[in-house]
Amino acid sequence: MARPVKFTRDIILEKAKRYFELTPDVCIEQWYKNEGIDKSTFHKLLKKYEINVKIEARVW
């Protein structure tokens, strides 16, 4: 049996950056599959490692 992957804060931080930079045409479910993590685990680890997101947009 394969051992479970241990996601460190640094790994989750990089995944979070890629996640929030996705373009609208990317399928979210496919992204999770390619990253090797499921949706609920990803969001739990964001909370565990206290990774917050701030999105700013300027429109003029």
Side-chain angles (χ1 to χ4, degrees):
M1 285 181 79
R3 294 187 318 182
V5 176
K6 177 148 174 83
F7 291 109
T8 63
R9 187 180 196 286
D10 294 333
I11 292 171
I12 294 299
L13 186 58
E14 288 302 315
K15 288 183 183 298
K17 287 177 184 178
R18 288 194 297 273
Y19 177 80
F20 289 104
E21 291 173 350
L22 290 177
T23 56
D25 60 332
V26 175
C27 176
I28 297 295
E29 297 304 320
Q30 189 63 36
W31 182 86
Y32 285 119
K33 184 177 179 182
N34 291 342
E35 291 291 326
I37 192 168
D38 63 84
K39 185 176 182 177
S40 63
T41 302
F42 179 68
H43 289 284
K44 285 177 188 176
L45 290 172
L46 286 178
K47 287 181 182 179
K48 176 182 176 183
Y49 292 129
E50 297 178 354
I51 297 173
N52 299 310
V53 177
K54 181 178 180 181
I55 299 173
E56 293 182 6
R58 292 183 186 218
V59 180
W60 62 93

